[in-house]
Amino acid sequence: MDDNGTDTHCPYCSLQCGMRVAVAPGGGAEVRERPAYPVNRGVLCGKGRSAAEVLRPEARLTTPLVRDGRGGNLRPASWREALDVAARGLADVRARYGPDAVGVFGGGGLTNEKAYQLGKFARVVLGTANIDYNGRFCMASAATAHRRAFGLDRGLPFPLADIARTGCLVLVGANPAETMPPAVRHLRELRERGGTLIVVDPRRTATAELADLHLRARPGSDLALALGLLHLVIADGNVDGEFVAARTTGYEEARAAAMAHWPERVERLTGVSVSELADAARMFGEAGTGMVLTARGAEQHSKGTDTVGAWIDLCLATGNAGRPYSGCATLTGQGNGQGGREHGQKADQLPGYRDLDDPAARAHVAAVWGVDPGALPVAGRSAYELLGTLGLDGGAHALLVMGSNPVVSAPRAAHVTERLGALDLLVVSDVVLSETARLADVVLPAAQWAEETGTTTNLEGRVILRQRALDPPEGVRTDLAILRALAAALGRPDGFPYDPEAVFDELRRASAGGPADYAGISHRRLRGGEGVFWPCPDEAHPGTPRLFLDRFAHPDGRARFAAVTHRPAGEEPDAEYPVYLTTGRVTAQYQSGAQTRRVPALNAAAPGPFVQLHPRLARRLGVVDGEPLAVTSRRGRAVAPARVSEAIRQDTVFMPFHWPGEGRANTVTNPALDPASGMPEFKLCAVRVERAGEASPAAASGAGAAR
C-alpha cells in the first residue's frame, strides 16, 4: 500500500462505493475519498466514512471460540481445536442423519469467490442440498419476476448514471436517500434535467421529499397500484403498440387483468386517490422514456414476485424496456447481493446463474469441479424453510453460517432462535461476535473487506475488485482459508484453494456460457479500473453495461407480460390486530447492525429501535413521543420508544430492524412466503399497538433460547 492508500470498495450496500484505505497517522486504518470511481465520485455516506472503525481489534473477533459442552460457555481456543470440533461435528451429523441434515447459510456480503466456494463446499464436500443465503430475504422476488419477464436477472440492466437521463422515474418501496445516500445525486440530476420523480411509499421518507408526486399507498397494495396505473395507461391510449407487437408476448392477457382494476377499485385497495392515480399514469405514460425501480418495500411480500411483474408490465406496455434510459429494475440491497445469488450459494442455482435442475448446467459445473453430475444434490429448502426446520425431523441438525446474523434478520426471529438452539452443532464464521455467533458451538474469526482481496458485483452488474489494503490481526483467517481447512479435515484436501485469484479463475470457467458469464473478467483486468459489466464472455469483450437493447434473454428474444391480479397479503389487519406494521432501515445502521452497532459515531446517530406512528394514532393510544410502545403480532411482542410523526399513514406503524433484544422488529414479522421466490413477508403484518405498561406480555418477546 502506498502513502495514498489502496483502492478498494465500501463493505456495505450494493453501490459498492469506491474508496481508498490508508494507514492512519496514529496507526490503524482510515478511509479516504476515491473521486475517479464513477458510481459515487468520491462521495461516501456515514457508514462508508467510518468503515475502518470495525477493523479495530477491540471491535471484532480475533480468536476462535469453542463452547464447553451443552449449555457451557464459549471460550478461546486454538484454530486446530476449533476446526477439529467443527469438522468432527459436521461429519458426525452427516453420518447419523444423512448429508441433507447438514445445512449451510451464507450471506449477501460475501465476495463472489466466497459465495462460489461456499456453494461448492456444500455440494461437493458435504453433499447437502440444504444451502441458501440471506439474499433470499432481499432480492429474491425481483429476481424471479425479472427472469420470468426478461429471461435474465441483473439488478439494473443499465448503468446507475442512466437514471438521471430518463423522462420519468418511479421508485416503488425504495428509500435511497437513507439506504444508499450517494445515489441521491442521480435523482437530483434527473430533476435538474427536467425529468419527473414519482415515489410510492406509505411513509413520507427523505426520498419522498424529493418527489414530484408521492403516492402514499397502503402497505401491501403495490400490486393493485401497478395494475391500476396500467389500466389508465391503456385507457389514455399511451400503450406503445409497435413495441408490444415486435418485442413482447402475453399482452392481451395482461390487458384483461389490468382492465379488472379500474381507478375507483384501486383507490379503495390502495388509499391513493383517483386523481393521484390519473396524474401518475399521465406522467409516466406521456414521458418519452421511463424507468421503474422497485426495492424491498414492494418485494418483501408473499406476492412480491407478482407485484414486480405488474410493474414490469407497465414498462412493457409503454415501451419502456430494452431501450436507452428506460427499463424496470431493482435496487439491490446487500453489498454483493447480485453476485451472491449468481454463483451457487442459493438453494436452486449453480455458478453462472445456472439452474440446478438443468442437466446441461449440472454437467458443465460438475466437469469444472471434477465430480459426477449425478453426485450433485438437487435443490434444497429456501432460507426461511431451512432455518424454520432446524433440529426437527427432516430438517438440518448441523448448520454452518458464514457472514449472516439470522437471529436478528430472519422473520419470526424468536422461532428461528429457538431452532438454532435445537441444533446438534452450530458453526459460525464472522467478523464480529454477532447475536447468532453467541449461540454457536464453534465461532471462527474471519478477515474483513480491507484485509483480503476479492470481487463483488454491484447493483448495476458491474464486477469490481476489493483489494487487500492491510493485514488482518494475528489469529484471524479468511473465509476461503477456513473452507479449505474444513474441506481437508472432511477428506477433500484438493480443489479448495484459498488464494482468491485462483478461486475466481475457477469461477470464470464455471460461469462460462451461463446467463451470468464472467469468463472474460479477471483480477488482472479489474485492478485499478472501474469494473466490468457482465455478461463478458471473453477477455476481448468490453462487458455489457446495457442489456436487452437488441433482444431479451428468452430463446425467442421477446419479453413476457405477467398477467397478474391483486390478492390480499398473507395477513391483513383485523379487530384483534388492527394496525399495519412495516419495517425498514435507517441511514446510520446497516442490515442486522452486527457491524455498524460497533461504531460509536453511527450509534450516536441511531442509538436504538423506535416505533414511528401518526399523531392521530398516538392520541388514540394516549402515547407521547419517546414513551415505550409495545407492538404485538401473532408471533410475538417488541417494545421500543414511540416516534410521533405525520410522515406515516394513520393505519400504519414503522420499525427499523437493526437491533436485537426487546426492540427486535423481526420478532413480530410474518414468515408467509412468496410461492415463487421463497421471499418472506417482512414488509407487512397485522399488529396491536399499546403503551408498554398496559400491554399484555402474554405474547413472548422471543429474546432467544440460550444454548
Side-chain angles (χ1 to χ4, degrees), residues 580-595:
Y580 290 100
L581 168 70
T582 191
T583 65
R585 283 172 47 188
V586 296
T587 307
Q589 300 289 352
Y590 181 71
Q591 302 301 78
S592 76
Q595 295 187 42

Side-chain angles (χ1 to χ4, degrees), residues 34-54:
R34 184 180 162 192
Y37 186 64
V39 171
N40 62 308
R41 301 177 193 165
V43 176
L44 295 169
C45 72
K47 294 186 293 292
R49 288 194 302 272
S50 64
E53 287 286 304
V54 192

Side-chain angles (χ1 to χ4, degrees), residues 187-434:
L187 305 183
R188 298 190 188 281
E189 288 175 15
L190 166 74
R191 299 288 307 281
E192 290 167 2
R193 288 174 176 268
T196 302
L197 175 62
I198 301 171
V199 172
V200 180
D201 200 302
R203 300 190 301 139
R204 187 156 187 83
T205 62
T207 304
E209 293 285 352
L210 303 173
D212 295 280
L213 178 62
H214 174 205
L215 304 179
R216 198 176 292 197
R218 184 176 292 120
S221 68
D222 294 331
L223 172 55
L225 179 63
L227 289 165
L229 294 180
L230 179 56
H231 178 112
L232 287 167
V233 162
I234 294 169
D236 292 343
N238 285 324
V239 172
D240 188 333
E242 183 178 343
F243 176 88
V244 168
R247 301 197 60 187
T248 74
T249 63
Y251 170 69
E252 288 304 324
E253 294 82 355
R255 181 185 183 280
M259 288 298 99
H261 295 80
W262 56 92
E264 291 78 12
R265 181 190 179 200
V266 172
E267 180 182 67
R268 291 195 301 271
L269 292 170
T270 65
V272 177
S273 69
V274 170
S275 62
E276 289 176 313
L277 292 169
D279 288 344
R282 175 184 49 78
M283 291 162 69
F284 190 75
E286 296 179 2
T289 54
M291 291 179 180
V292 173
L293 302 184
T294 64
R296 309 302 81 75
E299 300 160 9
Q300 285 181 323
H301 294 272
S302 59
K303 54 186 173 181
T305 298
D306 284 356
T307 298
V308 176
W311 289 101
I312 292 173
D313 283 359
L314 179 65
C315 288
L316 293 177
T318 53
N320 285 307
R323 289 175 169 173
Y325 313 123
S326 299
C328 192
T330 182
L331 292 173
T332 303
Q334 297 188 79
N336 198 30
Q338 181 68 51
R341 67 181 180 267
E342 294 169 359
H343 296 300
Q345 65 171 334
K346 202 174 172 191
D348 53 353
Q349 286 174 348
L350 290 170
Y353 226 146
R354 287 182 159 93
D355 289 329
L356 188 57
D357 60 1
D358 178 358
R362 293 171 68 89
H364 175 88
V365 174
V368 174
W369 289 351
V371 300
D372 183 343
L376 294 178
V378 297
R381 292 183 170 97
S382 67
Y384 181 77
E385 295 170 308
L386 171 60
L387 295 172
T389 57
L390 295 174
L392 301 176
D393 289 344
H397 291 267
L399 186 69
L400 169 62
V401 177
M402 187 166 280
S404 188
N405 188 18
V407 166
V408 179
S409 63
R412 197 186 173 196
H415 175 69
V416 169
T417 304
E418 290 170 2
R419 301 304 349 129
L420 288 166
L423 287 166
D424 292 5
L425 178 75
L426 175 60
V427 180
V428 174
S429 174
D430 209 332
V431 169
V432 298
L433 190 63
S434 69

Side-chain angles (χ1 to χ4, degrees), residues 465-673:
L465 186 66
R466 290 183 186 167
Q467 299 189 91
R468 178 172 174 155
L470 48 121
D471 295 332
E474 185 178 352
V476 171
R477 298 187 183 183
T478 67
D479 285 315
L480 292 178
I482 290 169
L483 289 173
R484 176 184 173 89
L486 287 174
L490 291 166
R492 288 275 183 170
D494 300 319
F496 290 87
Y498 59 83
D499 173 59
E501 190 163 5
V503 176
F504 190 77
D505 285 342
E506 184 178 299
L507 179 157
R508 295 168 63 194
R509 297 195 301 275
S511 73
D517 191 336
Y518 283 34
I521 307 173
S522 65
H523 279 210
R524 176 193 56 78
R525 187 173 177 183
L526 295 176
R527 287 189 188 100
E530 296 179 352
V532 178
F533 293 84
W534 69 261
C536 182
D538 59 70
E539 294 200 50
H541 194 283
T544 313
R546 296 174 182 85
L547 297 172
F548 313 137
L549 295 181
D550 300 316
R551 64 192 315 275
F552 296 101
H554 287 297
D556 62 2
R558 291 173 174 263
R560 273 66 167 147
F561 278 89
V564 294
T565 190
H566 169 76
R567 65 179 187 271
E571 181 178 85
E572 296 280 359
D574 57 21
E576 187 176 2
Y577 300 97
V579 176
Y580 290 100
L581 168 70
T582 191
T583 65
R585 283 172 47 188
V586 296
T587 307
Q589 300 289 352
Y590 181 71
Q591 302 301 78
S592 76
Q595 295 187 42
T596 51
R597 284 187 274 113
R598 287 165 169 79
V599 178
L602 299 179
N603 276 337
F610 58 87
V611 182
Q612 184 186 46
L613 74 164
H614 193 275
R616 287 190 180 179
L617 178 57
R619 285 195 295 272
R620 197 156 65 240
L621 299 173
V623 172
V624 298
D625 200 75
E627 184 176 354
L629 202 59
V631 178
T632 306
S633 75
R634 291 174 174 85
R635 290 152 296 279
R637 176 175 180 261
V639 178
R643 184 172 293 182
V644 181
S645 170
E646 293 187 351
I648 193 167
R649 290 175 55 95
Q650 298 176 34
D651 58 1
T652 303
V653 296
F654 166 84
M655 290 188 72
F657 56 74
H658 309 290
W659 289 273
E662 71 170 3
R664 181 176 60 182
N666 279 320
T667 296
V668 301
T669 50
N670 188 4
L673 300 182

